[in-house]
């Protein structure tokens, strides 16, 4: 009996030992995979390889980090006062731990359990850097574990000085300001190396909670935290207790990104081009450009851009606007305005707003294909009587009843009934002619008679429409425009992208010449006459308004320069007085004066 019991006990111990070994093996394997994951993250996106993207125009250049300005310090240039202050208030054991501080984690865990809230982070500077660079701000224990793993990996790859420098370079200081160097110049008008203890502690107060400690909106909160930081510095013997601090003289100098509408849009275009070339998603392509210190050369004309911005800003308060300028010779976008503000990262109506184009679509969808098919001339007659196709029965402006009109007058006065009859003749040809323009929101529903007058389901953007009109400045040939001339990479890696002209014939030279003459009539005696200018060798254009005058469009050509403009409201509303006075034409003429 005893022998049997002994054998059973031995078998039980053996099974227990095997289960323990298997459990340990599984845990070790899991740990190995987790540490490998963290190593992959920090290898794929090294801290030291994250460089600014440089955007150039003419002889000027702008350096950007994720669309915003940042003046990074190098580890060798990290000011001693900045180093000591952030260590004192964020991570006093920074130079002792290996990326995480178990004491801080346990303290935070205890406080979180007692309050039933995940308010305490217990994060070291390296963990905070890991979160800023690789993770989100969600407050979960899973994210905390990932944060620790990445922090350990970072500590193995970088020196403490490099980690601390990366941290103060990425820290957010409110008001679209990242990094201590830019914060120093923006708020105090000096370099970080020249800061006093009072000034360092004042700026160091902000990143803890940029909303609460915003020095422009809540200066009293910033000052209170500054005093707490000074006490910490004194208690840790970072500064002598006898030091008397002076009040900080705040003088905000907003960091400026010139021409933010255009700069934002050109960087996004460069990222999309990179994604296509390298077969990456958008985020990975953005990282690629930063890691290779890319330079984006643009076609921006600062004079035209400034005039366009001023003209859009000068519009009545209730009217928004967008403008796009394109050089017909290079197919380069010379100006792009999509909002009234001077801040980066805003909704860009030139590229992101899609509205029904009204009669500005007629030359592209109706009259070009009609001329190509029928070989008509501007003196050829069109039936302007009331008409219906597939239940669509449009009226002319002012409910005007027409008889027979010339093609020239139909274009110049933007009549609707003769345009619909012309479209019925070249319906299939019209739908084929506009395919190369690749209007991104064109739907199957738009393959209908309603489109003859620009009644689309979603519409087109000012950028897309102006781009399509370059055909009229290039003998009937179309090539997609671009804001980006070239994308070049640093360290002699060469040119990643170069904008080239790739002509696609939309219609014949003869058709294009007749159309151009028709668009000149628009300017001399038609709906665009308030924009007429006798100086250029050629001038032509087309107006467009939608039902109830909710959208006002004009695309005009001076010699080989094309400018397109849209006016309206984000939530559509009528603007009858402005439409009747062709405000969009007058605004366009002011830009290209």
């Amino acid at each position: 009996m005893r022998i049997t019991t002994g054998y059973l006990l031995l078998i039980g111990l053996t099974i227990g030992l095997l289960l323990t070994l298997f459990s340990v093996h599984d845990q070790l394997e899991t740990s190995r995979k987790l540490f490998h994951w963290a190593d992959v993250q920090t290898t794929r996106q090294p801290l030291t390889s994250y460089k600014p993207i440089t955007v150039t125009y003419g002889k000027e250049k702008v350096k950007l980090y994720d669309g915003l300005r940042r003046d990074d310090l190098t580890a060798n240039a990290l000011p001693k006062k900045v180093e000591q202050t952030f260590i004192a208030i964020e991570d006093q054991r920074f130079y002792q731990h290996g990326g995480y501080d178990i004491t801080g984690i346990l303290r935070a865990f205890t406080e979180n359990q007692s309050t039933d809230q995940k308010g305490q982070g217990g994060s070291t500077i390296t963990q905070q850097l890991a979160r800023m660079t690789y993770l989100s701000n969600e407050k979960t224990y899973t994210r905390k574990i990932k944060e620790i793993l990445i922090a350990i990996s970072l500590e193995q790859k970088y020196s403490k000085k490099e980690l601390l420098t990366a941290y103060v370079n990425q820290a957010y200081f409110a008001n679209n300001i990242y990094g201590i160097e830019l914060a120093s110049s923006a708020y105090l008008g000096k370099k970080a190396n020249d800061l006093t203890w009072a000034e360092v502690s004042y700026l160091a107060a902000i990143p803890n909670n940029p909303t609460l400690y915003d020095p422009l909106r809540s200066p009293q909160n910033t000052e209170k935290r500054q005093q707490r930081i000074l006490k910490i510095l004194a208690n840790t013997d970072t500064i002598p207790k006898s030091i008397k601090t002076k009040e900080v003289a705040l003088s905000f100098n907003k960091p400026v990104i010139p021409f933010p509408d255009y700069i934002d849009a050109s960087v996004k275009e460069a990222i999309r081009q990179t994604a296509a070339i390298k077969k990456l998603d958008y985020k990975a392509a953005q990282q690629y450009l930063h890691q290779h210190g890319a330079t984006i050369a643009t076609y921006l004309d600062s004079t035209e851009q400034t005039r366009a911005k001023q003209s859009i800003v000068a519009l009545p308060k209730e009217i928004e606007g967008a403008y796009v300028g394109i050089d017909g010779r290079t197919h380069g976008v010379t100006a792009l305005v999509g909002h009234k503000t001077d801040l980066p990262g805003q909704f860009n109506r030139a590229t992101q707003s899609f509205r029904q184009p009204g009669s500005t679509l007629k030359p592209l969808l109706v009259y070009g294909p009609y001329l190509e098919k029928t070989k008509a001339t501007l003196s050829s007659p069109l039936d302007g009587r009331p008409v219906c196709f597939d239940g669509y029965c449009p009226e002319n402006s002012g409910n005007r009843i027409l008889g027979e009109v010339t093609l020239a007058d139909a274009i110049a006065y933007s009549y609707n009934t003769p345009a619909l009859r012309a479209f019925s003749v070249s319906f299939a040809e019209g739908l084929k002619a506009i395919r190369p323009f690749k209007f991104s929101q064109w739907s199957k529903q738009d393959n209908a008679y309603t489109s003859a007058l620009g009644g689309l389901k979603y519409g087109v953007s000012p950028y897309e429409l102006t781009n399509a009109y370059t055909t009229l400045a290039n003998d009937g040939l179309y090539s997609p425009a671009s804001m980006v001339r070239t994308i070049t990479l640093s360290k002699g890696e060469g040119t990643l992208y170069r904008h080239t002209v790739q002509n696609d014939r939309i219609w014949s030279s003869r058709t294009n010449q007749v159309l151009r003459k028709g668009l000149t009539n628009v300017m001399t005696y038609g709906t665009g006459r308030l924009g007429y200018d006798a100086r250029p060798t050629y001038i032509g254009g087309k107006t467009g308004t939608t039902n109830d005058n909710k959208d006002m469009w004009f695309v005009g050509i001076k010699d080989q320069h094309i400018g397109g403009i849209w006016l309206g409201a984000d939530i559509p509303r009528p603007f009858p007085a402005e439409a009747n006075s062709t405000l969009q034409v007058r605004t366009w003429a002011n830009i290209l004066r």
Side-chain angles (χ1 to χ4, degrees), residues 136-379:
S136 68
N137 285 319
E138 63 174 340
K139 293 186 177 182
T140 65
Y141 292 121
T142 300
R143 194 223 67 203
K144 179 64 70 176
I145 292 169
K146 291 180 179 179
E147 182 183 291
I148 292 171
L149 291 169
I150 291 175
I152 292 170
S153 180
L154 289 174
E155 292 271 352
Q156 293 170 349
K157 293 180 179 179
Y158 301 99
S159 70
K160 289 287 188 177
K161 201 67 161 292
E162 287 174 323
L163 293 171
L164 181 58
T165 304
Y167 172 79
V168 299
N169 281 338
Q170 292 187 45
Y172 183 52
F173 287 82
N175 301 298
N176 281 335
I177 296 171
Y178 286 84
I180 187 69
E181 182 72 0
L182 185 58
S184 181
S185 61
Y187 290 119
L188 303 171
K190 57 172 63 177
K191 291 186 175 296
N193 197 50
D194 298 326
L195 295 173
T196 65
W197 283 112
E199 292 167 336
V200 170
S201 58
Y202 186 85
L203 294 179
I206 304 169
N208 181 266
N209 188 329
T211 301
L212 180 62
Y213 300 121
D214 184 337
L216 301 185
R217 294 172 179 81
S218 305
Q220 67 282 359
N221 291 343
T222 316
E223 290 168 4
K224 286 179 181 178
R225 177 159 172 79
Q226 176 206 24
Q227 293 306 312
R228 292 199 297 272
I229 291 173
L230 287 170
K231 287 182 180 178
I232 292 172
L233 292 173
N235 291 337
T236 56
D237 295 324
T238 305
I239 60 174
K241 292 181 173 60
S242 59
I243 285 184
K244 294 183 179 179
T245 60
K246 296 180 180 179
E247 188 174 321
V248 171
L250 186 68
S251 177
F252 187 58
N253 306 292
K254 183 172 68 174
V256 175
I257 295 177
F259 315 121
D261 323 47
Y262 190 106
I263 298 293
D264 274 353
S266 62
V267 171
K268 288 178 180 177
E269 181 183 324
I271 293 171
R272 288 193 295 269
Q273 292 289 358
T274 302
I277 293 168
K278 292 293 182 179
K279 295 180 173 55
L280 301 169
D281 62 29
Y282 186 89
K283 184 66 176 177
Q286 183 182 34
Q287 294 289 338
Y288 181 89
L289 292 178
H290 275 294
Q291 289 168 2
H292 290 81
T295 296
I296 303 167
T298 72
Y299 288 100
L300 173 63
D301 179 333
S302 58
T303 300
E304 183 184 1
Q305 179 74 17
T306 300
R307 284 182 179 175
K309 187 71 171 186
Q310 291 172 344
S311 297
I312 296 299
V313 170
L315 292 168
K317 184 179 179 180
E318 64 275 13
I319 297 180
E320 291 291 350
Y323 173 84
V324 178
I326 301 176
D327 184 333
R329 293 161 297 186
T330 64
H331 294 265
V333 179
T334 52
L336 187 144
V337 175
H339 51 81
K340 291 182 177 180
T341 76
D342 59 357
L343 298 174
Q346 305 300 301
F347 178 69
N348 195 320
R349 295 172 184 84
T351 58
Q352 296 176 300
S353 181
F354 296 87
R355 305 293 284 260
Q356 294 186 2
S359 293
T360 52
L361 198 61
K362 290 176 182 174
L364 306 173
L365 181 63
V366 178
Y367 291 121
Y370 178 79
L371 286 166
E372 189 79 348
K373 182 174 183 178
T374 64
K375 309 304 179 187
T377 67
L378 290 178
S379 59

Side-chain angles (χ1 to χ4, degrees), residues 42-228:
T42 56
T43 300
R44 186 171 56 190
Q45 185 182 335
L47 289 176
T48 52
S49 71
Y50 204 71
K51 305 178 184 70
I53 292 174
T54 303
V55 180
T56 68
Y57 56 97
K59 296 181 180 180
E60 303 297 324
K61 61 183 178 180
V62 184
K63 292 188 176 184
L64 302 171
Y65 287 84
D66 296 332
L68 296 171
R69 269 195 56 196
R70 215 174 83 189
D71 297 333
D72 277 12
L73 295 167
T74 63
N76 292 334
L78 181 66
K80 192 67 175 176
K81 289 175 185 174
V82 171
E83 175 185 356
Q84 292 176 311
T85 300
F86 277 94
I87 287 175
I89 64 174
E90 295 291 343
D91 187 359
Q92 292 181 16
R93 284 174 30 83
F94 177 67
Y95 282 107
Q96 283 75 51
H97 63 64
Y100 66 98
D101 187 353
I102 193 64
T103 304
I105 293 173
L106 290 173
R107 181 180 65 253
F109 180 79
T110 302
E111 293 187 21
N112 289 340
Q113 294 302 311
S114 63
T115 61
D116 197 32
Q117 292 181 358
K118 301 180 182 67
Q120 290 292 320
S123 296
T124 64
I125 283 175
T126 316
Q127 285 176 250
Q128 293 179 56
L129 178 61
R131 181 173 66 248
M132 288 190 291
T133 309
Y134 303 97
L135 301 170
S136 68
N137 285 319
E138 63 174 340
K139 293 186 177 182
T140 65
Y141 292 121
T142 300
R143 194 223 67 203
K144 179 64 70 176
I145 292 169
K146 291 180 179 179
E147 182 183 291
I148 292 171
L149 291 169
I150 291 175
I152 292 170
S153 180
L154 289 174
E155 292 271 352
Q156 293 170 349
K157 293 180 179 179
Y158 301 99
S159 70
K160 289 287 188 177
K161 201 67 161 292
E162 287 174 323
L163 293 171
L164 181 58
T165 304
Y167 172 79
V168 299
N169 281 338
Q170 292 187 45
Y172 183 52
F173 287 82
N175 301 298
N176 281 335
I177 296 171
Y178 286 84
I180 187 69
E181 182 72 0
L182 185 58
S184 181
S185 61
Y187 290 119
L188 303 171
K190 57 172 63 177
K191 291 186 175 296
N193 197 50
D194 298 326
L195 295 173
T196 65
W197 283 112
E199 292 167 336
V200 170
S201 58
Y202 186 85
L203 294 179
I206 304 169
N208 181 266
N209 188 329
T211 301
L212 180 62
Y213 300 121
D214 184 337
L216 301 185
R217 294 172 179 81
S218 305
Q220 67 282 359
N221 291 343
T222 316
E223 290 168 4
K224 286 179 181 178
R225 177 159 172 79
Q226 176 206 24
Q227 293 306 312
R228 292 199 297 272

